[in-house]
């Protein structure tokens, strides 16, 4: 018991001491201490890639090779599998719902532990009663637990998810961006539930990008940056600016060398009152020739949705988009590419690259029509272009006949970038172009983007990597809950100003309406 | 408000479509000659029983999120085995039926292992097992038709009425009892609920500590048991069995499959009920009695199947379109358009 | 293992080279594997037949036996390749093609064939729309179409067999005879017209697969539908084309089958869905889509035919063949799934 983490006699609900987790090539979590008291809401903050989610995955038992010690209520626990984590009293509310939609609520709540009446049958009455009890803990007294999950709203499903976690009687509840699918009234409801849980003595770890939420609900906050602990302090002793500063830290010098921006007057893309009901409303922005325009917003602000509508994959309901002065209303993505608009998707593994095909197949996949003679298409005829582009992107190894899934993540991303360079479009939407890649690849991609715009092309950058936005973008449009609320010019652009603006605060130049 | 009511009705009709169709057929039956005679009802339900067993097996596997195309061959083989063993080895009927059912269980077990352990897609695995079963049963009976022989005790028993005043054959009543038994298992036991859960979201089930592999195997085994037992009893009930049983006219497999879809069992797994399939199959049995020409039967059943699938596909297509809509914005949209109007 | 290696090479983002070799080997096996089996089967065939395997009549019988399956495979390849597993409406497409051709024999021989092919294309369009546009479950939908069209044929023609000479008018009897003869013609007295047509169809199919934009697009769609969508590929149209090609090929096979049987009915084509799928999987086309070649498919078709042929040389009856076929099928599918999982897909 000598190791017992006593701090003036107090036992923490959760005490992670010097925990580290190494992924190939990177140290995702580096000797982090993380302590949560009983009956407190502890916010965990940091930018994307700061290591928050890795830390929480570790807590949830998804890794069996972390180092360091984890104490739960003063007892040392090994969290090497999800079941062990569950037994240790850790409940994780996932960001994406892990409910079976076509199954009734009470079964989802009690999955894997339905009460039995005797050896054979489940006790439905008891199950429903138990489910009702759990639902009432999250304020859903009026919901019939025999309904299917598909019959209730997204918000209610999110609360059901929380109730499901509570069903395991956790002493620590981890909530990862729990408000991302909720409306503002529903968020208040969630706060009520969190306060209730807090008064019951549970420890709550609350992960969010929304500063307002932190100040509303959290007692203490821990900030991480680049896998390291920056500091932990009570919320009452801090303010938004200070927190942002902690998250952002000192800007990395010389990583983003200033580049000569070559912005011309000509407006190549203009969105006016662009609306897709329920996804984004009355969006306005202009993109100039030779400009990198960032669209910034918190998770779920509607960045990707705008891109999908622009390229014609989803249908917009209102507003007007003009490209090169002509009204553009693409009926599918193929037409958009022909019209000079490309879109580099955010998740390369799911919607970016055909992993089981060769580099050449992937790079040429968006220009098959443009390079066909009638119905005939000569793949070998494009080899020159493919080689040129993968050399430009310095893909290693530069072998166009290799399967994409045998490349490292960074090189896969370079292949994806090469694909859109090869497409020959003059407006490119980049959605998280450097997520999950190593520094080298990041550098290469950034240089290529600068090179690309210097040739008179334009880029719309959708990124939640703030240093990247500050380093690359010439202007940033701030998007908040589906609305454009303003823009920040290059001179005013810092990570702090963007983050504060995206939270709906701070001063910025207003959008011309 | 009017619109909402209408929507509710459409949903209601859709949810209870198998019952409503059954009522419809029964009403049509009023205008047919010799439809509501005890003899007709007894014959229709009895002859329709085999498909109910098949539908039962198919439904369970579908709920667990897989497809089992072997049900028809399992039942045919079970029928052949039962009749053959009784005729050649002089085994008592009960033992023959048990062996037939066990054959089904064995096949279900193999299917389950192929799907869970070797990770072969269930549909493809069942195509392979179909060929294997076909080969085995041709080898067993040399392609000849097997008949019941001279021992009619069980045949009489199955054809006779269990309850004197009810015009239902014993075979049909056994079928119904079995169906309700499986219904109870699916609805009220942990195994049954786990089958739903695994079919609904295999990952959630796994994270919650459910042994998904075992659950899927159990679903296949129950399916095999149903098909085997049903086939064995059907062999005795009809007094003869041959390898091409059901290949003439409309294939029993198709009827079972159609009934699953019409009944409302979700083709992506997780939702469904053997009772829905049961009602749909009784509906189909009466439909067959109603329109005597096989041709028309196939067309009507085919059209119903396609209609249900189109309805569900279009509904899913429309649902996917609005997936990920932000609640805040949707409220705003309602306000805005409400003001505009 | 790979992690250790990566950590050693800290200077450059090197990738594990061992993995590539496996990939290349697997690729090679995927390309040539079935031809190795074909050669093996030839050797086995020579042994069991006592050298008569290469006799003229035996080769003829192998080719004739596989010709119809081959024609179906030439089109079904695209369905499997596009990631939609298989088309369960192949039997009814064959039947429908045959029935329409025979029914329209009075339009003359060419007219009859064209109508038959159009019938197949129609089913292809229906399938393509529902699967490509509405994203219906491919297997369940095609099963339903199989049942529906079967019902239509049975109701319209009252479940009767159709004979071309009965339908043809007096002056069209020549067409009817010509129609029957297509399955009995031997070019140069040696090689059956059916086999030639099959080879021609495979050749066209090979061109489509390797030389056209459609083939290239379908490769991406088959590998990952979403990626294809976000590469500006019109997936709906490509899948529609794939199903139409499949419908045309099945209808061609159906027309030859009707001519061979000298009658057309709703039953023509029963069992061809499984036969063709077996041959395609034997040929190394991945069930997950995006992988496979026409050359492999031809190999699969030949292997399938030779396997049957050898089984009859061994003296197994039609029936016990099913057993062997089933086991071979399951083994091949397992190999297919297993190698895909090793490649990190599945």
């Amino acid at each position: 018991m000598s190791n017992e983490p006593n701090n003036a006699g107090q036992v923490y609900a959760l005490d992670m001491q010097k925990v580290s987790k190494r992924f190939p090539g990177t140290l995702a979590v580096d000797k982090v201490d993380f302590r949560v008291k009983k009956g407190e809401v502890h916010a965990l903050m940091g930018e994307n890639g700061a290591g928050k989610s890795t830390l929480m995955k570790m807590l949830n038992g998804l890794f069996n090779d972390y180092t360091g010690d984890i104490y739960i209520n003063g007892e040392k626990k090994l969290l090497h599998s999800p079941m062990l984590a569950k037994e240790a009293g850790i409940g994780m509310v996932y960001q994406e719902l892990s409910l079976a939609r076509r199954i009734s609520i009470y079964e989802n709540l009690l999955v894997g532990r339905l009460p039995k009446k005797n050896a054979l049958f489940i006790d439905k009455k008891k199950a429903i009663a138990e489910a009702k009890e759990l639902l009432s803990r999250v304020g859903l007294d009026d919901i019939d637990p025999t309904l299917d999950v598909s019959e209730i709203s997204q918000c209610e499903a999110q609360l059901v998810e929380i109730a499901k976690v509570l069903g395991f009687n956790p002493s620590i509840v981890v909530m990862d961006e729990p408000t991302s699918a909720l409306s503002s009234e529903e968020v208040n409801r969630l706060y009520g539930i969190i306060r209730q849980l807090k008064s019951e003595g549970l420890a709550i770890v609350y992960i969010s990008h929304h500063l307002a939420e932190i100040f509303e609900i959290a007692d203490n906050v821990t900030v991480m940056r680049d896998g390291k602990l920056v500091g932990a302090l009570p919320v009452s002793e801090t303010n938004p600016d200070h927190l942002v500063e902690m998250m952002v830290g000192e800007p990395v010098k010389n990583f983003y060398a200033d580049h000569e921006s070559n912005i011309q007057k000509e407006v190549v893309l203009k969105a006016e009152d662009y609306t897709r009901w329920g996804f984004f409303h009355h969006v306005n922005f202009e993109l100039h020739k030779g400009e990198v325009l960032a669209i910034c917003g918190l998770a779920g602000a509607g960045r990707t949705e705008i891109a999908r509508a622009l390229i014609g994959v989803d249908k917009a309901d209102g507003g007007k988009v003009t490209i090169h002065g002509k009204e553009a209303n693409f009926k599918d993505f193929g037409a958009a590419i022909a019209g000079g608009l490309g879109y580099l998707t955010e998740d390369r593994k799911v919607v970016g690259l055909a992993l089981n095909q060769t580099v050449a197949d992937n790079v040429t996949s968006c220009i098959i029509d443009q390079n066909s003679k009638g119905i005939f298409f000569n793949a070998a005829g494009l080899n020159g272009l493919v080689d040129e582009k993968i050399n430009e992107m310095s893909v290693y190894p530069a072998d166009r006949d290799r399967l994409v899934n045998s490349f490292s993540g960074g090189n896969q991303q370079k292949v994806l970038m090469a694909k859109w360079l090869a497409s020959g479009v003059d407006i490119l939407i980049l959605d998280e172009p450097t997520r999950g890649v190593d520094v080298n690849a990041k550098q290469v991609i950034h240089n290529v983007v600068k090179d690309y715009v210097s040739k008179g092309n334009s880029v719309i950058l959708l990124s939640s990597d703030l240093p990247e936005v500050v380093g690359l973008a010439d202007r940033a449009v701030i998007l908040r809950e589906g609305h454009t609320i303003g823009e920040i010019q290059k001179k005013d652009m810092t990570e702090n100003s963007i983050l504060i603006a995206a939270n709906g605060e701070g001063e910025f130049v207003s959008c011309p309406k | 408000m009017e619109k909402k009511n209408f929507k509710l009705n459409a949903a209601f009709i859709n949810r209870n479509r198998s019952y409503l169709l059954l009522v419809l057929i029964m009403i049509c039956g009023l205008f047919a000659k010799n439809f509501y005679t005890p003899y007709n009802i007894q014959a229709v339900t009895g002859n329709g029983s085999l498909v109910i067993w098949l539908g039962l097996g198919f439904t369970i596997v579908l709920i667990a999120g897989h497809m089992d195309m072997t049900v028809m061959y399992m039942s045919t083989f079970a029928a052949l085995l039962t009749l053959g063993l009784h005729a050649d080895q002089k085994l008592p009927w009960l033992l023959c039926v048990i062996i037939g059912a066990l054959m089904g269980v064995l096949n279900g077990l193999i299917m389950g292992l192929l799907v869970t352990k070797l990770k072969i897609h269930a549909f493809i695995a069942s195509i392979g097992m179909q060929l294997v079963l076909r080969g085995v049963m041709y080898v067993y009976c040399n392609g000849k038709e097997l008949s019941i022989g001279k021992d009619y005790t069980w045949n009489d028993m199955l054809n006779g009425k269990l309850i004197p005043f009810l015009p239902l054959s014993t075979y049909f009543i056994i079928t119904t009892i079995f169906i309700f038994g499986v219904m109870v298992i699916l609805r009220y036991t942990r195994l049954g609920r786990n089958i739903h859960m695994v079919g609904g979201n295999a990952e959630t089930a796994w994270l919650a500590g459910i042994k998904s592999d075992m659950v899927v195997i159990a679903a296949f085994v129950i399916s095999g048991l149903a098909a085997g037992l049903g086939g064995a009893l059907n062999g005795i009930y009809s007094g003869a069995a041959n390898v091409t049983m059901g290949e003439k006219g409309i294939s029993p497999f198709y009827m079972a499959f159609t009934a699953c879809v019409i009944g409302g069992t979700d083709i992506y797994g997780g939702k469904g009920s053997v009772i829905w399939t049961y009602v749909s199959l009784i509906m189909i049995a009466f439909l067959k009695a109603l329109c005597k020409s096989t041709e028309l039967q196939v067309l009507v059943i085919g059209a119903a199947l396609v209609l249900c699938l189109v309805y569900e596909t279009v509904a899913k297509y429309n649902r996917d379109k609005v997936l990920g809509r932000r609640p805040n914005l949707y409220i705003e949209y309602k306000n805005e358009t409400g003001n505009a109007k | 293992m790979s992690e250790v290696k990566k950590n050693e090479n800290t200077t450059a983002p090197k990738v594990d080279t061992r993995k590539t070799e496996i990939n290349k080997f697997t690729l090679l096996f995927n390309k040539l594997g079935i031809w190795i089996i074909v050669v093996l089967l030839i050797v086995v065939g020579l042994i069991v037949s006592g050298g008569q395997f290469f006799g003229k009549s035996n080769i003829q019988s192998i080719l004739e036996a596989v010709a119809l399956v081959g024609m179906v495979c030439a089109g079904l390849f695209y369905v499997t390749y596009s990631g939609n597993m298989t088309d369960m409406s192949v039997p009814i497409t064959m039947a429908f093609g045959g029935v329409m051709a025979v029914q329209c024999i009075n339009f003359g021989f060419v007219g009859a064939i064209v109508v038959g092919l159009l019938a197949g294309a129609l089913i292809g369009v229906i399938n393509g729309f529902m699967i490509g546009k509405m994203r219906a479950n491919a297997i369940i939908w095609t099963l339903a179409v199989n049942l529906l069209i079967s019902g239509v044929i049975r109701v319209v023609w009252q479940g009767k067999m159709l004979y071309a000479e009965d339908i043809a008018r007096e002056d069209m009897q020549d067409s009817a005879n010509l129609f029957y003869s297509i399955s009995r013609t031997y070019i140069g007295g040696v090689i059956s017209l059916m086999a030639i047509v099959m080879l021609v169809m495979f050749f066209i199919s090979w061109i489509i697969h390797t030389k056209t934009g459609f083939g290239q697009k379908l490769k991406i769609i088959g590998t990952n539908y979403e990626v294809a969508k976000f590469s500006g590929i019109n997936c709906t149209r490509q899948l529609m084309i794939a199903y139409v090609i499949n419908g045309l090929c099945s209808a061609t096979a159906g027309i030859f089958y009707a001519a061979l049987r000298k009658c057309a009915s709703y039953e023509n084509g029963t069992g061809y869905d499984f036969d063709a799928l077996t041959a395609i999987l034997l040929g190394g086309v991945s069930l997950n889509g995006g992988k496979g070649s026409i050359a492999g498919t031809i190999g699969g078709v030949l292997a399938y035919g030779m396997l049957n042929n050898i089984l009859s040389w061994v003296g197994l009856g039609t029936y016990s063949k099913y057993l062997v076929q089933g086991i071979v099928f399951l083994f091949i599918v397992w190999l297919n799934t297993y190698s895909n999982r090793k490649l990190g897909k599945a």
Side-chain angles (χ1 to χ4, degrees), chain C residues 165-184:
Chain C
E165 68 260 30
D166 293 351
I167 290 166
R169 291 192 307 266
E170 280 299 309
D171 52 331
M172 283 296 172
Q173 286 297 336
D174 287 348
S175 307
N177 288 330
L178 188 60
F179 182 74
Y180 285 152
S181 70
I182 55 171
S183 294
R184 293 173 179 73

Side-chain angles (χ1 to χ4, degrees), chain C residues 13-31:
Chain C
K14 284 241 164 75
V15 200
D16 194 350
T17 45
R18 197 172 46 98
K19 208 176 163 189
T20 340
E21 277 161 27
I22 291 177
N23 283 352
K24 276 191 179 147
F25 177 76
T26 321
L27 277 179
L28 191 76
F29 188 79
N30 270 355
K31 264 183 191 151

Side-chain angles (χ1 to χ4, degrees), chain A residues 202-269:
Chain A
L202 269 69
I204 290 150
V205 180
Y206 191 92
I207 303 178
S208 177
H209 286 102
H210 298 252
L211 290 169
E213 289 179 14
I214 305 296
F215 286 95
E216 172 79 29
I217 192 75
D219 303 312
N220 290 297
V221 56
T222 294
V223 179
M224 284 178 76
R225 187 192 334 132
D226 298 334
K228 293 187 185 69
L229 181 77
V230 179
L233 70 171
V235 169
S236 53
E237 290 171 21
T238 181
N239 57 49
D241 290 330
H242 180 220
L243 266 188
V244 166
E245 210 178 291
M246 281 174 78
M247 280 161 68
V248 172
E250 287 289 305
V252 187
K253 292 271 178 346
N254 293 331
F255 186 81
Y256 296 98
D258 278 342
H259 64 286
E260 286 294 310
S261 53
N262 183 22
I263 305 171
Q264 297 163 28
K265 273 270 159 57
E266 187 189 338
V267 174
V268 288
L269 189 149

Side-chain angles (χ1 to χ4, degrees), chain A residues 268-269 287 323-324 340-342 425-429 452 457-458 460:
Chain A
V268 288
L269 189 149
L287 176 68
I323 291 182
H324 295 304
L341 180 64
V425 294
D426 59 358
I427 305 169
L428 189 51
I429 305 172
Y452 179 76
N457 301 311
S458 319
I460 297 177

Side-chain angles (χ1 to χ4, degrees), chain C residues 102-172:
Chain C
V102 170
Q103 182 63 41
C104 296
I105 196 74
N106 281 335
F107 296 173
F109 172 71
V110 178
I113 302 277
V114 168
V115 172
L117 292 178
L118 283 180
L122 175 71
I123 295 183
V125 168
I126 297 172
N127 285 339
F129 177 77
M130 280 307 283
I131 294 163
K133 173 80 181 169
M134 308 303 289
R135 305 298 292 144
N137 182 317
I139 289 174
I140 294 201
W141 173 256
T142 49
L143 268 172
V145 165
N146 198 34
L147 186 64
L148 178 68
I149 306 288
S150 155
V152 170
I153 297 177
R154 289 195 205 190
V155 167
V156 172
W157 283 278
Q158 296 299 309
K160 285 198 286 274
M161 304 276 185
L162 296 183
Y163 299 95
E165 68 260 30
D166 293 351
I167 290 166
R169 291 192 307 266
E170 280 299 309
D171 52 331
M172 283 296 172

